[in-house]
Amino acid sequence: MTDPQAIQPSALDQLPDRDPEETAEWQASLDAVAKAAGPHRAAYLMRRTLERAEGNGIALPKLLETDYVNTIPTAAEPSAPGDPEMERRITAWNRWNAAAMVTRGSKHGVGGHIATFASAAWLYETGFNHFFQGKEADGSGDQLYIQGHASPGIYARAFLDGRLTEQHLDNFRQESGGEGLPSYPHPRRLPWLWEFPTVSMGLGPLSAIYQARFNRYLTNRGIKDVSASHVWAFLGDGEMDEPESTAALALASREGLDNLTFVINCNLQRLDGPVRANFKIVQELEAQFRGAGWNVIKSLWGSAWDELFQLDATGALVRRLREVPDAQVQTYQTRGAAYIREDFFGKDPALAEMAKLLSDDKILECFHLSRGGHEARKVYAAYKAAVEFKGAPTVILAQTVKGHTLGEGFASKNANHQMKKLSVDEFKTMRDLLELPISDAQFVDGVVPYGHPGADSPEVRYLQERRAALGGPAPARRTHALAPLPAPADKTFASFDKGSGSQNVATTMAFVRLVKDLVRDKESGRRWVPIVPDEARTFGMESLFPSLGIYSPKGQTYEPVDRDQLMYYKEAENGQILNEGITEAGSMADFIAASTAYSTHGEAMIPFYIFYSMFGWQRTADQMWQLGDQLGRGFLVGATAGRTTLTGEGLQHADGHSPVIAATNPAALSYDPAFAYEIAAIVKDGLRRMYGEAAPGEDQNVFYYLTVYNEPMPQPAKPSAPGVDEGILKGLYRFNTAESAGVQVAAANAPRIQLLASGTAIHWALKAQKLLAEEWGVAADVWSATSWTELRRDALDADAALLRGEERQPFVRRALQGAEGPVLAVSDYMRQVPDQIAQWVEQDWSSLGADGFGLSDTREAARRHFGVDAESIVVAALAQLARRGEVKAASVKEARERYGL
């Protein structure tokens, strides 16, 4: 009997026991079984009882782990359709060519990965032959997130299919010549094949979840019915350590995304060694996914293990499999039968007796070769169960051997991720194992040949017939010839040209107001996808709640607490807003799915994702690169921008550098607009370029980054001077001169300076313009620098043109041509931001910026601290003019003292 004193308090103790005697009988029965048949038998009975309870709909907490065996018993496996022998031969050719491609490339020092695809080959082949829907299938076909390190195997299959040539394979990781193949799935580099970038690791699983969710969003909103599409994400067990890999598991289960399947290749190895040397990664992942509400299917052991499990009358084998750590399983893969007999079977008398019935060959077959992920029938059973399961996403934990079929020098070796080639002798051994008709004579000068059975061979015909039946080639990216979206009415944008009069309006609010108008557009309004990470009220977007609705697949099952208010919290099944909670990574994944819908689904969607600027590029810049790689289009909006505008929040909220990071992304068009009319002009042109009639030579596959500010300021009318529209888009125009601003300068020949400012800094420059004139007799012209980055890129293009013998003047030089005096640039960012253009400015250059860490204080105090306020601009301007001899040096000291600097 169990000692009652050892029983720990339980939540059940809080529930009334209506029949204590019956409860005691059940407990006594369990104690009796444990005593008579052992604790393992008692545990077995409890698990079966819990399974029966679940099957009968009795609500009980689910077990988070099951035994270390296959979820689907052999007897319950469906027969796989098709020709197994034909599929074996196809897989053999793909294994060979993947290894040959990387080995041949290693002669050029470009590297590549062999072992990952070797372990996962059947995971892909089974899907390609029987499950993955192509672009001609219902909806949009399936979306495939291919594990990046397995790309050689995907190229090998495309070669067999006739979509790639030997020349392509020989240019693996050698792209500059024009016929090369990128190292990993990179749509920007190979846009007809790859749809989804999956390296950096961790971004694939996160994006797959939000892609599956966005598919439901499109269907529920009536944009396009893609309910037949399934999202497949192929991942590594080591990759699951990335926080992004598991960040959205709860979202997937909460929203019942049964259109999503994760296939985790559990070869038990990461880049340097075992994933969980002293533990079991499969069991850990099972508990993690089950706890998050996923359906879990384990496919661990191949058919060779069936005999062993049938001999396991006592459960000793299952217990031993559960307790052996992963690193020891890896060791068994590299040891002989005698070692396995002693170390695995010898630990338990019942297992020792079992081992006497097994030949050495049988032991080696089980421990060296037979894994659930290496047998098409096992994989087919898992995939079929996954796509038929309803109500939750599925994860398949498929155990494999890293480096399978590559020979003893590769299989399960800690270093195999870094091993880039096989020797000729190793290839010949592999050839014999795979039964490929490749002769020794084909190894010319020690170069391994590619293998192909012929374009009209039974293998190729079978492959192509299977893909035709499933809707065409896969993976594949489709470029749709979409009609340009009709441009919204000009009056929507022109209304901002008149300014705000006496009303102070923050540029954040100006952008939100513009979006409110645009989503009402009859033609394109429903295609906007507002995305916000639980900060909608901060950005003044709550007025969109009742009109657009917040997307929820369940609609609104409750009465909101603010239902009697005009701007109540409204959720709807067809809601347009994606309010993600506190997850910038999830919001970016949303943005990527929406921004590429024009290709994935043939539907142009216009996402705008608004966020604290500090928590955008700094936190999710890796996803911004993923966005650029996937050729996404849309508007990223860094709100509460700048280092000094967000009062009181302090160091980790004060963004002084996001434009620097944005400038590193070639696909990002980065703007720091100062005024509402500038925002309207930029958005208008962005819609034209990305979704309308792009000009010849313009790349449509770009996205915009706008920084907007939460500081209410007067919004002036748009200047009527020529060149303003061009300057807004190219990055610089003269907002006013000292004369047009109406400031009084005493001397007719007063010294002059050009003040360049972006974003909210233009208001400091305008104040400085007045101080310089009224107190120091200096005339200042003020320029709005809407994009330092675009100015720099234009200048770099001009430099490149000069090297080609073409005469082209950078726009920034042309814009400033003839401007008198030196140039002083200022922004609410570090000086590196405006300094991007310094080398192309002919005038004397200096800059001010908010370098260093942010701090908590008032805006005025923060700006004085960083030396960017109006008074600091005055002192810097006088210092610049003093160096030129245009004002007295004493004026600089006098100004510092007067302003308390």
Side-chain angles (χ1 to χ4, degrees), residues 500-648:
S500 64
S502 59
Q503 183 183 6
N504 288 341
V505 177
T507 52
T508 298
M509 297 308 300
F511 177 83
V512 170
R513 183 193 141 190
L514 175 62
V515 170
K516 286 180 185 177
D517 293 341
L518 291 171
V519 296
R520 295 191 188 104
D521 185 82
K522 292 181 180 180
E523 298 290 339
S524 61
R526 72 191 190 110
R527 296 190 176 274
W528 283 85
V529 184
I531 303 167
V532 60
D534 199 35
E535 288 283 2
R537 298 181 193 278
T538 301
F539 307 134
M541 293 175 59
E542 65 269 30
S543 61
L544 297 177
F545 289 169
S547 58
L548 301 184
I550 298 165
Y551 173 73
S552 170
K554 290 185 176 294
Q556 193 155 40
T557 61
Y558 60 92
E559 183 178 358
V561 68
D562 55 358
R563 182 62 183 87
D564 59 342
Q565 298 178 14
L566 181 63
M567 294 184 288
Y568 71 98
Y569 195 82
K570 177 187 175 183
E571 294 188 86
E573 188 176 354
N574 64 347
Q576 193 164 351
I577 301 170
L578 292 173
N579 193 320
E580 291 303 356
I582 305 175
T583 168
E584 286 82 10
S587 300
M588 267 306 302
D590 261 336
F591 187 90
I592 292 170
S595 70
T596 53
Y598 73 92
S599 173
T600 308
H601 295 299
E603 296 287 344
M605 304 300 288
I606 312 171
F608 83 87
Y609 165 34
I610 187 167
F611 49 87
Y612 265 65
S613 65
M614 187 65 160
F615 305 143
W617 282 94
Q618 174 167 288
R619 180 166 289 189
T620 57
D622 200 8
Q623 289 176 284
M624 311 296 191
W625 278 93
Q626 181 189 14
L627 168 64
D629 193 348
Q630 202 167 318
L631 294 86
R633 305 169 184 172
F635 297 95
L636 296 172
V637 183
T640 59
R643 185 146 278 166
T644 70
T645 61
L646 187 57
T647 56

Side-chain angles (χ1 to χ4, degrees), residues 614 642-643 654-660 828-831 833 850-852:
M614 187 65 160
R643 185 146 278 166
D655 173 21
H657 53 278
S658 68
V660 177
D828 204 14
Y829 295 95
M830 56 197 302
R831 290 176 61 182
V833 174
D851 287 75

Side-chain angles (χ1 to χ4, degrees), residues 725-737:
D725 289 322
E726 180 188 24
I728 290 173
L729 300 179
K730 288 187 174 293
L732 183 67
Y733 68 95
R734 181 153 45 195
F735 175 72
N736 68 18
T737 63

Side-chain angles (χ1 to χ4, degrees), residues 55 148-149 260 313 324 361 407 442 492 510 595 602 658 752 803 859 885:
H149 293 145
L260 170 68
V324 175
D361 287 345
Q442 290 177 262
T492 304
S595 70
S658 68
R752 186 173 289 269
L803 292 176
R859 292 187 179 112

Side-chain angles (χ1 to χ4, degrees), residues 30 33-34 37-46 314 319:
L30 180 63
V33 171
H40 301 296
R41 176 61 181 170
Y44 176 82
L45 290 175
M46 288 299 299
T314 66
R319 292 196 299 273

Side-chain angles (χ1 to χ4, degrees), residues 31-297:
D31 292 341
V33 171
K35 183 176 181 180
H40 301 296
R41 176 61 181 170
Y44 176 82
L45 290 175
M46 288 299 299
R47 287 199 298 272
R48 296 312 297 262
T49 302
L50 287 171
E51 289 175 1
R52 174 59 63 88
E54 183 178 353
N56 289 336
I58 299 173
L60 285 172
K62 293 183 179 181
L63 291 172
L64 294 185
E65 288 186 29
T66 59
D67 285 321
Y68 204 68
V69 296
N70 293 348
T71 302
I72 303 172
T74 300
E77 292 171 0
S79 297
D83 185 336
E85 174 57 25
M86 189 69 71
E87 292 175 18
R88 184 199 66 79
R89 296 207 300 269
I90 291 171
T91 306
W93 285 116
N94 291 340
R95 287 182 181 278
W96 177 272
N97 288 321
M101 177 196 334
V102 176
T103 297
R104 288 166 68 128
S106 70
K107 295 182 181 297
H108 303 288
V110 295
H113 300 287
I114 301 177
T116 294
F117 177 73
S119 67
W122 277 113
L123 301 180
Y124 290 107
E125 286 301 317
T126 303
F128 284 128
N129 288 326
H130 302 290
F131 290 94
F132 303 157
Q133 300 290 313
K135 295 299 182 183
E136 302 304 322
D138 290 343
S140 304
D142 289 354
Q143 287 83 56
L144 307 180
Y145 287 77
I146 304 295
Q147 191 179 2
H149 293 145
S151 62
I154 308 304
Y155 291 140
R157 195 173 209 277
F159 169 65
L160 201 66
D161 193 13
R163 294 199 289 164
L164 292 176
T165 66
E166 286 194 16
Q167 183 180 1
H168 286 116
L169 300 192
D170 264 349
N171 284 320
F172 174 57
R173 292 193 170 196
Q174 300 173 74
E175 299 180 72
S176 59
E179 289 293 321
L181 299 178
S183 53
Y184 302 126
H186 291 308
R188 186 169 284 274
R189 292 301 184 200
L190 200 61
W192 60 267
L193 180 71
W194 297 120
E195 273 196 289
F196 306 109
T198 50
V199 178
S200 298
M201 287 190 289
L203 299 186
L206 179 69
S207 292
I209 290 173
Y210 280 88
Q211 182 67 56
R213 197 280 200 90
F214 189 75
N215 290 359
R216 290 280 172 85
Y217 172 89
L218 285 180
T219 300
N220 290 341
R221 288 198 55 221
I223 301 291
K224 182 179 183 181
D225 184 359
V226 294
S227 54
S229 294
H230 200 87
V231 177
W232 299 81
F234 288 83
L235 318 167
D237 47 1
E239 181 178 7
M240 299 311 293
D241 282 348
E242 289 284 3
E244 296 87 353
S245 295
T246 56
L249 298 187
L251 168 71
S253 61
R254 185 169 64 246
E255 299 203 0
L257 298 180
D258 50 23
N259 60 339
L260 170 68
T261 297
F262 275 16
V263 181
I264 302 182
N265 177 17
C266 297
N267 56 36
L268 313 185
Q269 288 184 253
R270 54 189 178 196
L271 275 60
D272 288 331
V275 179
R276 294 291 183 271
N278 295 299
F279 306 94
K280 300 189 81 63
I281 185 59
V282 168
Q283 299 299 89
E284 179 182 320
L285 290 174
E286 179 184 25
Q288 194 169 16
F289 278 86
R290 283 190 188 277
W294 287 52
N295 177 43
V296 179
I297 299 173

